[in-house]
Structures are given as C-alpha cells and as structure tokens.
Amino acid sequence: MLSFKNLIDIDDLSLKDIEIILENADTFSDVLERDLKKVPALRGKTVLTMFFEPSTRTRNSFELAAKRLGADTVSFAAATSSLRKGEFIIDTIKTMQSMVVDLIIIRHSDSGAVNFISKYIETPIINAGDGKHQHPTQALLDLYTIKKTFGSFKNLKAAIVGDILNSRVARSNIILFNKVGIETTIVTSSILKPENFDYFNVKTATNIEEVLPFVDIIYMLRMQFERQDRKYYPSIKEYNSFLSIDEKRFSLMKENAIIMHPGPVNRGIEISEGLMNIKDESKIKINQQVRNGLAIRMALIYLMCLKQD
Ligand code: CP
C-alpha cells in the first residue's frame, strides 16, 4: 500500500513506495509483453487527464496505461473547454470531479499549480509536470529504466546535463537519485544553474567531457525554450561545445554507460543528429524510457485507484 494520496512531487515518496511502484511496474511490464496487453484490474474505474500544456509522451502514456488496466478514460481538452469563457480553473476541475472520476492526472505550465489544485479536490491527483517544479512520473520511469539496465542502484554515478534552471525533470530526478543512492553531478553553465542549488546537495561540473569517462548514466536535458524568458546561450555552437553529446563524445563514455533523455529531443542541440540515428538500444535508452513509462504509469494508476477501495 502506498503512503501518499496525491503524487505531486518526489518528496511524497518513501523508499518503500518506490520499491512497491517498481515491483508493480515489473508485473505490468510482463503484461505488456503478452499478445493480449490488457488486464481487467480497474474495470469500472475512471481516469481523467487534464493537460493544460502540450504533451506527446506523458498524456498518451497515461491514457494508454489506464486503458490497459481496463479503466475508462476521459481526456479534458482545455483549448475547447469553458475555460475559454472565463471559468475559474478550480470550478472547471470540480465540475469534472463531479462526473465521479477515481483519479485525475494534471499537467500545467505554472510551477505549483497542481499542488494548488489539490487543496480544492478530494479525488487523488498525479502531477504530470508543473512548470519548472517537478515531473515525478518521468523520474520514476527513468529510475525504472536504470534498474532494468543495471539491476540495482549500487555504486551508480549519474550526470544530469544542460538546462537545469528551467527543468522540472532535473529537480525530480536529482531528488529521486539522491533517495536511492545514485551519486549525481549536474553539468551546466552558471547561467543555466538555479541560484539556490546547494539545497540539492549534488556535485557540479561545467563541461560534459569532465564526467563522460566516469559516470554510468548521462542524462541529457532538453533545452526548455518554451520556459525561457530570455536567451540563455549566445549560440547553439557555444552550447554544443560544453553541454551536448555527439559521436566523438559517445566514444569517451564508460563501456556500459547509457544515454537518457526525457524527450522531446532538440536534435543537434542536446544530442547530435548522427547520435540520434544510432539504433543501439543498449546505450541510448530514449525509446526504452517511453516503453517503461507505460509500465510505471500502469503501476501508479493501479496502486492509487486500489488505495481508495
Ligand atoms: N517527457 C515528457 O514529459 O514529454 P511530453 O512533454 O511529450 O509529455
């Protein structure tokens, strides 16, 4: 049984919760390997997705995960809703809650918006990414991918590279990696590093080449152009010289090290076009992250709906 009602940030999770979620993800991963990729575990339950910001991976993954569990899904379309007529967001969400749903998945472009909404809503909520704050299910699917690759978290070292300042993925992953004992270094420039970063208790570097020979996980962050209120880098060439990975740098990695990225990738910025075209899934885990996301979200939806019974 999970210890939390809402999953808003990684701090909501105990080590026991993480263990339960990963174990259940293993079970659902097996279901996804079958010819018939569906179980009736949540027949009669309803999962509502409310995305106020664009998404490909997270939204489709949550909706497919709910369907694979036999639940009904409702997908709220913000752009064509009564929000356009000026309805207060809390009234909109209360309206949807009144249709008797069992779980609400919310993405919003404002940091803290999901926590704010949770104060007004009785139905359990999962944060599917809020502004620069957190993206807890991304961190969990990343951790699951690491576990499936290395078997355990013991003695692992990770580097999280790029736009830390504007990244909710960085904040969630750093906290989760710390919780399970993965030693983490952030690789970024001073301008892309948040001011209060000592709180996160991680090592820092300024050039990806400093860490490539030593870490097991190179986690490339997306340049979050949509959250940048100004130009943070003089040119892509300048960014590439310190914070990107290409075929040449790929050869500097440890033998069993892997590259991860939450997607969507800005080709030629974080990862070179050539490296993106390499189909070595033992080294480049981007597609496996997406696949594992489905199992992690099935586990979370199942456990959070079950908890209410
Ligand atoms: N990684 C991630 O959150 O991707 P989407 O924005 O496509 O959901």
Side-chain angles (χ1 to χ4, degrees):
M1 189 70 106
L2 299 174
S3 68
F4 57 88
K5 177 190 163 203
N6 299 316
L7 180 55
I8 309 286
D9 63 46
I10 290 295
D11 289 320
D12 293 328
L13 295 169
S14 66
L15 277 175
K16 186 71 195 165
D17 291 326
I18 296 166
E19 192 185 315
I20 293 171
I21 294 164
L22 297 187
E23 268 174 24
N24 275 268
D26 267 340
T27 306
F28 291 121
S29 216
D30 290 344
V31 170
L32 294 170
E33 295 295 319
R34 293 185 201 157
D35 197 26
L36 279 177
K37 302 170 182 57
K38 194 164 178 167
V39 286
L42 294 184
R43 204 160 46 191
K45 298 280 186 186
T46 305
V47 175
L48 167 66
T49 54
M50 302 189 83
F51 278 58
F52 300 92
E53 189 199 74
S55 165
T56 296
R57 279 145 279 271
T58 314
R59 180 182 201 139
N60 290 301
S61 176
F62 267 118
E63 290 178 6
L64 193 55
K67 287 186 175 116
R68 296 278 194 236
L69 290 163
D72 294 316
T73 56
V74 183
S75 176
F76 171 80
T80 52
S81 74
S82 291
L83 283 170
R84 297 292 296 269
K85 300 179 201 164
E87 188 173 43
F88 178 42
I89 188 167
I90 298 299
D91 293 333
T92 302
I93 297 175
K94 276 180 179 282
T95 301
M96 295 306 294
Q97 183 185 239
S98 301
M99 296 181 196
V100 196
V101 297
D102 299 285
L103 183 64
I104 307 181
I105 321 289
I106 303 178
R107 168 171 288 192
H108 202 286
S109 54
D110 292 342
S111 307
V114 183
N115 187 43
F116 171 75
I117 292 164
S118 73
K119 307 291 177 216
Y120 294 86
I121 304 292
E122 294 82 42
T123 307
I125 292 178
I126 298 178
N127 177 6
D130 64 327
K132 300 180 186 183
H133 173 227
Q134 286 225 5
H135 193 349
T137 61
Q138 179 69 47
L140 283 165
L141 74 87
D142 291 335
L143 193 71
Y144 185 46
T145 303
I146 291 168
K147 178 150 181 272
K148 283 186 105 157
T149 305
F150 295 102
S152 85
F153 307 122
K154 204 162 175 253
N155 299 326
L156 289 183
K157 292 186 171 67
I160 300 182
V161 186
D163 182 7
I164 308 278
L165 180 70
N166 297 295
S167 174
R168 56 192 176 211
V169 174
R171 284 168 182 76
S172 295
N173 282 29
I174 289 167
I175 298 170
L176 190 57
F177 288 0
N178 274 347
K179 268 184 194 272
V180 300
I182 299 174
E183 186 187 301
T184 306
T185 302
I186 58 156
V187 185
T188 192
S189 64
S190 56
I191 202 159
L192 288 171
K193 184 177 155 197
E195 273 177 26
N196 59 351
F197 218 69
D198 291 345
Y199 165 79
F200 286 96
N201 192 24
V202 284
K203 296 180 178 178
T204 56
T206 52
N207 187 331
I208 192 169
E209 289 189 6
E210 290 174 53
V211 297
L212 282 173
F214 309 109
V215 299
D216 306 284
I217 301 140
I218 302 284
Y219 197 101
M220 304 304 293
L221 293 172
R222 199 168 72 80
M223 265 297 240
Q224 311 282 321
F225 292 113
E226 72 281 12
R227 281 180 225 136
Q228 295 181 358
D229 49 9
R230 62 195 162 93
K231 199 171 173 192
Y232 282 92
Y233 243 81
S235 68
I236 291 173
K237 199 166 169 220
E238 179 76 2
Y239 188 88
N240 286 158
S241 40
F242 298 102
L243 298 174
S244 306
I245 192 153
D246 58 10
E247 294 93 315
K248 188 163 157 265
R249 284 177 171 161
F250 184 69
S251 67
L252 301 177
M253 286 167 57
K254 268 176 80 174
E255 192 185 341
N256 294 322
I258 58 171
I259 297 175
M260 301 178 76
H261 190 298
V265 175
N266 295 303
R267 282 180 177 234
I269 301 184
E270 303 99 45
I271 303 180
S272 70
E273 187 77 37
L275 204 49
M276 281 300 288
N277 291 333
I278 290 179
K279 292 187 173 49
D280 184 356
E281 289 214 350
S282 68
K283 302 289 281 180
I284 301 173
K285 295 288 174 181
I286 299 171
N287 294 333
Q288 285 177 30
Q289 286 170 264
V290 174
R291 276 200 293 280
N292 292 334
L294 195 52
I296 279 289
R297 292 184 175 113
M298 282 176 82
L300 270 171
I301 293 171
Y302 173 70
L303 292 163
M304 288 178 73
C305 283
L306 195 74
K307 194 171 155 64
Q308 300 163 57
D309 290 339

